[in-house]
């Protein structure tokens, strides 16, 4: 099964925007392999515009010249990814990541480059041409590189098959497809065609759809055609966005299951926005970072690190190497809130093996607060372990914690 558990990895967007380079990807892959792989972190994902030679930050350069082959398929910009020279594409970089025991992923935009349509390029292994598939009325509102496709046509299906065959040849394990998850209903058929091309590529690839919020009423369609889908727009290190995630998590948590995972987006931890400020750091407090990691784990969201990992401090690594917390996504099922108010939230998630229940207490208020839950409300045992600290305590009568503002605690109760 593809994505039996919520995928865990790193994505280059939060720290480098559209401007990540091969050296940076390699150094982060090295770091993950040396320090984080043993805890389940495995995907190394190159985000948007790897085919754009002049990208320098999180901003897009409209109508720039993109790197592509004679069939309208985007290729890595060689000035940023030198190993892609001579038509090698991402295969050398993917091979490097695989040799570390990790998996390799890339970002794509739905559709095809406008340049491919304007030049009437042929589609690989097809009798059709790119302009036959391109829909010039389907354009991303925030990045004009691409045209969407007329997905009822054979030309569109052939084009998507051609790019996914290329990604399979490169050794890609993860595809983040953008400008699509929230674009119902006009992108519904495009999701299906992309999914079919991905599955027919000859290689198992996780298919992730962005950006959100994906429409809740399309949950069953998303579960059928994707492994992950974003439930929010870009998530950044802002407490208001984190607090708002509790409502989204409550609505989507029932749809998390092996093979398909509602995605609360990347974890803006550690060194962020490195193109703008090499000293840039997350604006989340330590308490807010614990809350984020706890909520993502309890709702079983995919976990994608957003920071430059080689600059991780001890606290950041303490979040990313806590095996007990990270195991919640693999070992639990049916995580859900008992209640959420403006001031607090309590979540529970039973273990799959029947050996206890995870219970998380969140202080959503702006001052210290005691959060309580009785044992009858989560049907737990008498022994509890606080997973962030490892402290053991008696839970016969329930759980109670005095939490600083915006902080969380999570227990395994047996």
């Amino acid at each position: 099964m593809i994505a039996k558990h919520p995928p865990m990895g790193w994505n280059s967007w939060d720290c480098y925007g559209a401007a990540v380079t091969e050296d940076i990807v390699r150094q982060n892959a090295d770091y993950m392999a040396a320090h984080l792989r043993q805890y389940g972190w495995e995907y190394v994902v190159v985000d948007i515009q790897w085919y754009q030679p002049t990208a320098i930050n999180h901003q897009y350069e409209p109508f720039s010249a993109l790197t592509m082959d004679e069939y309208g398929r985007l290729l890595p910009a060689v000035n940023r990814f030198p190993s892609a020279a001579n038509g090698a594409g991402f295969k050398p970089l993917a091979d490097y990541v695989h040799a570390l025991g990790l998996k390799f992923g890339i970002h794509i935009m739905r559709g095809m480059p406008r340049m491919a349509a304007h030049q009437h390029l042929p589609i690989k292994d097809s009798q059709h041409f790119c302009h036959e598939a391109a829909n010039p009325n389907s354009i991303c509102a925030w990045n004009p590189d691409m045209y969407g496709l007329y997905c009822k046509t054979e030309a569109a299906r052939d084009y998507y098959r051609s790019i996914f065959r290329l990604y399979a040849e490169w050794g890609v394990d993860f595809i983040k497809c953008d400008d699509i998850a929230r674009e119902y209903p006009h992108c519904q058929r495009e999701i299906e065609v992309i999914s079919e091309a991905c599955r027919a590529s000859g290689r198992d690839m996780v298919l992730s759809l962005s950006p959100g919020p994906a429409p809740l009423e399309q949950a069953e369609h998303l579960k059928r055609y994707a492994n992950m889908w974003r439930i929010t727009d870009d998530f950044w290190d802002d407490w208001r966005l984190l607090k708002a995630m509790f409502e989204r998590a409550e609505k989507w948590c029932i749809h998390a299951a092996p093979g398909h995972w509602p995605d609360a987006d990347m974890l803006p931890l550690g060194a962020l926005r490195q193109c703008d400020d090499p000293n840039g750091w997350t604006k989340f407090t330590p308490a807010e970072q614990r809350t984020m990691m706890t909520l993502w784990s309890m709702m079983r969201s995919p976990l994608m690190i957003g920071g430059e990992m080689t600059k991780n401090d001890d606290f950041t690594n303490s979040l990313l190497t806590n095996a007990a917390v990270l195991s919640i996504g693999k070992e639990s099922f049916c995580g859900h809130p008992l209640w959420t108010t403006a001031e607090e939230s309590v979540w529970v998630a039973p273990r799959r093996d029947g050996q206890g229940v995870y219970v998380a207490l969140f202080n959503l208020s702006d001052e210290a607060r005691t959060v309580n839950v009785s044992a009858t409300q989560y049907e737990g045992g008498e022994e509890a372990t606080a997973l962030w600290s490892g402290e053991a305590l008696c839970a016969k009568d329930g759980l109670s914690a005095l939490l600083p503002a915006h902080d969380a605690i999570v227990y395994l109760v047996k």
Side-chain angles (χ1 to χ4, degrees):
M1 173 184 288
I2 301 173
K4 181 179 180 181
H5 303 297
M8 296 171 60
W10 173 82
N11 179 291
S12 61
W13 171 255
D14 283 359
C15 43
Y16 294 105
V20 74
T21 64
E22 182 167 353
D23 286 346
I24 291 170
V25 175
R26 287 178 181 247
Q27 74 186 20
N28 278 276
D30 291 342
Y31 188 92
M32 181 182 287
H35 302 285
L36 301 179
R37 181 167 65 94
Q38 62 183 304
Y39 298 96
W41 303 96
E42 60 178 345
Y43 289 98
V44 175
V45 181
V46 178
D47 209 88
I48 195 167
Q49 287 198 320
W50 37 266
Y51 40 80
Q52 217 285 54
T54 59
I56 58 173
N57 54 29
H58 284 82
Q59 304 302 313
Y60 307 118
E61 181 181 321
F63 309 109
S64 59
L66 309 181
T67 307
M68 64 181 184
D69 69 9
E70 67 271 31
Y71 300 108
R73 301 179 299 181
L74 292 168
L75 301 174
V78 173
N79 63 317
R80 293 169 54 198
F81 298 91
S83 71
N86 302 314
F90 270 130
K91 189 175 190 313
L93 182 53
D95 287 347
Y96 181 86
V97 171
H98 293 154
L100 295 172
L102 303 172
K103 297 180 179 179
F104 180 70
I106 61 172
H107 172 289
I108 66 171
M109 297 290 291
R110 68 177 178 89
M112 69 169 58
R114 290 182 182 221
M115 295 165 50
H118 294 169
Q119 295 174 28
H120 292 202
L121 296 179
I123 296 171
K124 174 77 170 168
D125 298 325
S126 172
Q127 62 181 347
H128 297 287
F129 291 79
C130 288
H131 67 279
E132 298 176 54
N135 178 1
N137 295 314
S138 180
I139 301 172
C140 175
W142 42 268
N143 182 322
D145 289 345
M146 313 288 276
Y147 286 141
L149 303 189
Y150 289 115
C151 284
K152 292 183 179 180
T153 67
E154 184 178 43
R157 293 190 292 273
D158 285 352
Y159 182 78
Y160 274 126
R161 290 189 194 108
S162 76
I163 64 172
F164 276 95
R165 282 196 298 268
L166 179 64
Y167 304 151
E169 292 169 5
W170 287 347
V172 173
D173 305 294
F174 185 106
I175 296 288
K176 175 185 175 182
C177 184
D178 216 338
D179 189 38
I180 200 163
R182 68 184 177 202
E183 301 301 323
Y184 283 85
H186 74 270
C187 283
Q188 180 168 328
R189 179 56 185 155
E190 196 148 8
I191 289 172
E192 295 168 4
V193 173
I194 289 168
S195 178
E196 290 160 2
C198 184
R199 300 298 170 244
S201 69
R203 184 176 181 85
D204 286 347
M205 303 183 212
V206 172
L207 179 59
S208 171
L209 306 182
S210 288
L216 185 63
E217 63 272 18
Q218 296 294 339
E220 296 307 316
H221 187 264
L222 289 159
K223 287 154 68 174
R224 180 175 179 181
Y225 290 102
N227 303 115
M228 297 166 45
W229 57 91
R230 285 264 297 280
I231 65 172
T232 179
D233 203 341
D234 285 4
F235 176 77
W236 281 101
D237 45 344
D238 181 328
W239 169 248
R240 293 168 299 177
L241 297 178
L242 178 51
K243 188 173 182 179
M245 195 66 72
F246 281 81
E247 181 180 357
R248 298 183 187 278
E250 180 171 357
K251 292 176 178 178
W252 279 104
C253 62
I254 62 171
H255 298 289
H260 46 81
W261 307 102
D263 178 14
D265 201 12
M266 288 173 282
L267 302 164
L269 299 169
L272 307 177
R273 306 175 183 89
Q274 297 296 286
C275 293
D276 300 320
D277 177 8
N279 297 313
W281 199 257
T282 183
K283 298 174 185 176
F284 277 143
T285 66
E288 290 164 352
Q289 292 174 65
R290 271 190 298 272
T291 287
M292 176 176 61
M293 290 295 296
T294 303
L295 178 61
W296 268 234
S297 296
M298 292 295 288
M299 69 169 287
R300 295 190 293 164
S301 172
L303 301 176
M304 286 288 171
I305 302 163
E308 166 56 68
M309 291 186 289
T310 65
K311 296 184 179 182
N312 282 0
D313 61 5
D314 289 344
F315 178 76
T316 303
N317 277 334
S318 75
L319 299 174
L320 302 178
T321 61
N322 187 308
V325 174
L326 296 175
S327 69
I328 295 173
K330 296 184 176 73
E331 305 298 338
S332 70
F333 70 100
C334 197
H336 64 280
L338 293 179
W339 68 83
T340 299
T341 69
E343 292 79 29
E344 65 183 41
S345 184
V346 176
W347 278 63
V348 297
R351 282 180 60 95
R352 292 182 177 276
D353 60 9
Q355 300 300 306
V357 58
Y358 297 103
V359 184
L361 313 182
F362 300 91
N363 177 9
L364 306 184
S365 72
D366 297 331
E367 57 188 25
R369 180 182 181 85
T370 298
V371 182
N372 304 287
V373 59
S374 67
T376 57
Q377 290 175 294
Y378 57 81
E379 299 181 359
E382 298 184 4
E383 299 177 358
T385 301
L387 301 185
W388 285 117
S389 67
E391 179 187 2
L393 64 153
C394 177
K396 180 179 180 181
D397 298 319
L399 297 164
S400 179
L402 175 60
L403 298 173
H406 305 176
D407 210 344
I409 191 167
V410 57
Y411 303 92
L412 175 58
V413 184
K414 295 184 177 181

